[in-house]
Amino acid sequence: MRSTDSDGASAGAGQNGSASRHHQIQVPVDALTLGMHVEELDRPWTDVPVLFQRFVIRTEEQLSTLRHYCVWVWVDANASECDADWGAMAMKRGAVRTVHPLPEQHPLSEELPRARKAYRKTRNYVDSLLADIRNQQTIELEEARPVIEACATSIQANANAMFWLGRVRSEDAYTAEHCVRVAILAIGFGSSLGLNDADLTTLGLCGLLHDIGKLRVPDAILNKPGRLTPEEMAEMKRHTEYGYALLTKQGDFDPIVQDTTLSHHERMDGRGYPGGKPGSCISRFTRIVTIVDAFDAMTSDRTYQKGVSTADALRILFKNRGDQFDAELVEHFIRMIGIYPPGSLVALNTGEVALVLANNPRYKLAPKVEVVLGPDRQPCRRRVLDLATHPESGDGTPYAITEPLPDGAYGFSLQAHIEQQGTAAG
């Protein structure tokens, strides 16, 4: 909580020192809502196309303008019914606790072809962008927004299609694939939080571009198999500042995306880097990307280490909630992703092998699955089981998952399965 006096009031506070009567709190633009009283901006009022200095947010257009031009604003806490901890304020509105099932407007088999096209285009764009950064060429960010919008459109139709594609991985292309996966997971996470289309696009951009500064870090450090020296670790940590510098050279590119690139290794307890920001100064978009970034990094195979299982990664997130990660968002992420993510393989108590199609946020241990291998672990007639409805096998035993299986278990290829689905849909 802060208050201003007539000597410290900004231009937005007026000329009569009236700001001294108002308690102001700093709120990230991604947490603003209609009805809030904006008192100050994080930049001169003349840099932002608004009609008045100090105003009440009345329209979605005003929200969009603030989110495009600013990272933070100060609002009148008394008039806006705000809490000094804007994260707690969001909780009171139910913005985090509400669980929205991931969209399934189109059948998975129908959405996969469009998702593959959007995924491929996004991957090609990232490959080109990273090559330009590596070669110290001028980077072009104009194409970033349309490729992310295409991903968001597909995710809004059936998020599981994109989640499936993210399960097909290559160790040799970790940085590019990681950027695309973080964007996809962030959009899916934002959708489950109920964010609108504009915010989903911005959040996707935050995920897509969060690690671009790593291309300024020497490969010998990025891919070193052993423990980094203190000097090497210091250089690795500079990737946040390198990425921020790259984006700030792009003129009016979204400040909230720039801020997430700089701040995605900050921690809720203030022990992160590069600035050691306390949790109250970390935006919601950054909090989301921080969780998704850590999850994808932990579950990915690298040239120097194997990834951990989904269950282990979720346990680590949960253990570090409140200290490293936003506690409420971690719990929501666990509900969204489930113990068995879409696209993963599981063993059933019948001896069969099934592919996870979709999760149910209310029943994390009972996803919707497709049986793909019989008890003999050979291809069989495929059938879909919604385990949340307690289906029974032929002898009356309720189907249940006994264990997760690694990708590629028993020779099952998710990539080949996706291609077959696309062919069947065509």
Side-chain angles (χ1 to χ4, degrees), residues 176-190:
E177 289 188 349
H178 174 67
C179 288
V180 176
R181 289 195 300 267
V182 170
I184 290 169
L185 284 171
I187 295 169
F189 194 5

Side-chain angles (χ1 to χ4, degrees), residues 148 179 182-184 186-187 199-209:
I148 284 297
C179 288
V182 170
I184 290 169
I187 295 169
D199 282 350
L200 290 178
T201 297
T202 302
L203 182 56
L205 289 170
C206 290
L208 189 73
L209 301 173

